[in-house]
Structures are given as structure tokens and as C-alpha cells.
Amino acid sequence: AQSVAQPEDQVNVAEGNPLTVKCTYSVSGNPYLFWYVQYPNRGLQFLLKYITGDNLVKGSYGFEAEFNKSQTSFHLKKPSALVSDSALYFCAVRDIIYNQGGKLIFGQGTELSVKP
Amino acid sequence: NAGVTQTPKFRILKIGQSMTLQCAQDMNHNYMYWYRQDPGMGLKLIYYSVGAGITDKGEVPNGYNVSRSTTEDFPLRLELAAPSQTSVYFCASSSRTGGDTQYFGPGTRLTVL
């Protein structure tokens, strides 16, 4: 069975400090991994994805994520947080093989709060 | 380029009423999805479609129906609304399965009283 865990409901960081939002996954085969961001009363916006190749993936707004197969993790990072990064972040996984219709499994979300 | 559009933005229903949530995409995507988002629960897949005329159940399909008569449109029907269907509903689309990104609409906030 596929699953995604985001162990922290909320992450608080000061503006200018580095941020990390954690994600671990479980799939039967190899994963496709995604990060989305949701601002209040808005839909989900795509940030970045890991398909294959380099384990460090760079995405929108200065975000990056590192795929770690041995730890089954895909943590989202940013070197210097901005107040405008405050939002709800979702990690999602798709099993390459054992999946029909390209369905995504989402984590429960992590609320990121960046204070000035 | 509008992307994925959803109507209405907000709706209040009484228990037992029915309604259709509309979703349309203009990206010529074959794959379309309906999710519901409940606080602290992430997104749960309700139904999905891999092309016109083909639909299948997701994780939480009970109380809902879908149809896909065209590539562009994927309406979600709620029959006999119940308070448990109070949620935010998101439609998404992607060009194909595999590593393709799903693009989301702005959502419909539904309250059943």
C-alpha cells in the first residue's frame, strides 16, 4: 500500500533562517514524489517533483527537495525563509508500477509559519 | 490560459439536497481527478477519469457520482447531501500518468446543514 507521512503539523521559522518540511513515504515499487503549496482559500500549486536522476530537485520560489531512497524521505528545504512562504505544504507520492490512473497519495499537510 | 476552473466557489446545501460541482480544463489533459480536503486530513481521491467515457472510483467514492462525456469537463454529482460531505472539493488534471504533474483548480467550499 502507498502512504505518505508528514510528521510535523506545524513548522515555525524566523525569516532569513533555513527551513525544512519533512516527508517520508512508503510504496511497493519506485516512487514519483511531489511537493505542493496551498495558500489560504486557494488551490494547490505545484512546487517540484522527483521522477528520476539527480536526488536534489530544484523547484519554484527557491525551494528544493532531496530524495533519499534508503531513508524513504523527500524533505522540502529552502536556504532562507521569507514571510511570504507561510502556507500549507503537501507532500504526495505516486507508485510507478502499482498504480492506475496516476493517482496521488497525499500527506496530511504541514503548516509553515515564517515570522519576521 | 485558464487551466482548471471550478464552479461554484461556495455553496450551502440542506441535508438531502443534490448538486453538481463543475470542473473544466483547457489543457487537453486526458486524466482528471476529484479530491476532497478535510482539515488535518490531506486530500482524499473521490473519483478519477483517464479519458472521455472512462471513470473509476478513488478512495472515498460513496455518496458521489461522476461522468466524463468530453475531454474538457468532469462534473461531480452529490446525491442526497449529508453533513459528512461538508468539505473543500478540488478538481485536478494531468496530461498522462507517470511523472506528469497534476494541476489543481481553485476549489469549491461546500457546507451541508
Side-chain angles (χ1 to χ4, degrees):
Chain A
Q2 304 170 73
S3 66
V4 176
Q6 294 180 240
E8 300 155 317
D9 289 336
Q10 185 156 4
V11 171
N12 299 306
V13 297
E15 188 174 33
N17 283 0
L19 69 87
T20 299
V21 182
K22 295 180 181 177
C23 172
T24 58
Y25 67 90
S26 174
V27 298
S28 301
N30 291 319
Y32 292 142
L33 292 154
F34 300 80
W35 275 103
Y36 285 85
V37 59
Q38 184 181 31
Y39 297 100
N41 300 314
R42 303 288 295 275
L44 277 69
Q45 295 180 30
F46 169 72
L47 275 180
L48 52 79
K49 65 183 177 184
Y50 171 81
I51 304 300
T52 188
D54 195 347
N55 290 341
L56 184 64
V57 178
K58 294 187 183 296
S60 306
Y61 313 120
F63 284 94
E64 58 188 29
E66 185 164 13
F67 171 62
N68 187 317
K69 188 171 183 177
S70 63
Q71 298 185 5
T72 61
S73 67
F74 189 56
H75 300 331
L76 182 70
K77 299 181 180 184
K78 188 173 183 181
S80 178
L82 299 173
V83 172
S84 57
D85 292 330
S86 298
L88 185 58
Y89 290 80
F90 288 100
C91 181
V93 68
R94 178 187 297 151
D95 191 314
I96 293 175
I97 297 175
Y98 301 101
N99 183 291
Q100 290 180 328
K103 293 174 286 186
L104 287 176
I105 304 298
F106 284 85
Q108 76 274 23
T110 297
E111 187 78 41
L112 173 67
S113 178
V114 182
K115 300 294 186 186
Chain B
N1 191 340
V4 180
T5 58
Q6 292 182 241
T7 56
K9 286 190 170 67
F10 306 94
R11 185 73 185 268
I12 298 175
L13 283 182
K14 294 182 179 178
I15 294 172
Q17 287 185 321
S18 300
M19 76 165 293
T20 299
L21 281 65
Q22 301 291 344
C23 173
Q25 53 90 11
D26 62 0
M27 297 175 281
N28 202 31
H29 285 171
N30 286 325
Y31 292 81
M32 296 188 74
Y33 310 85
W34 274 106
Y35 295 91
R36 59 176 288 171
Q37 182 183 24
D38 301 309
M41 300 294 290
L43 278 75
K44 303 291 186 185
L45 183 66
I46 304 171
Y47 270 96
Y48 69 99
S49 170
V50 300
I54 306 170
T55 63
D56 206 349
K57 296 177 180 179
E59 192 178 355
V60 290
N62 292 343
Y64 307 94
N65 276 302
V66 294
S67 59
R68 184 98 181 268
S69 57
T70 67
T71 299
E72 294 77 19
D73 301 298
F74 190 41
L76 178 71
R77 178 82 177 162
L78 278 71
E79 305 282 0
L80 299 175
S84 61
Q85 293 177 304
T86 294
S87 189
V88 182
Y89 292 84
F90 289 101
C91 180
S93 72
S94 68
S95 63
R96 56 184 173 89
T97 188
D100 271 14
T101 301
Q102 287 186 19
Y103 294 94
F104 284 77
T108 294
R109 186 174 295 274
L110 176 67
T111 302
V112 182
L113 299 174

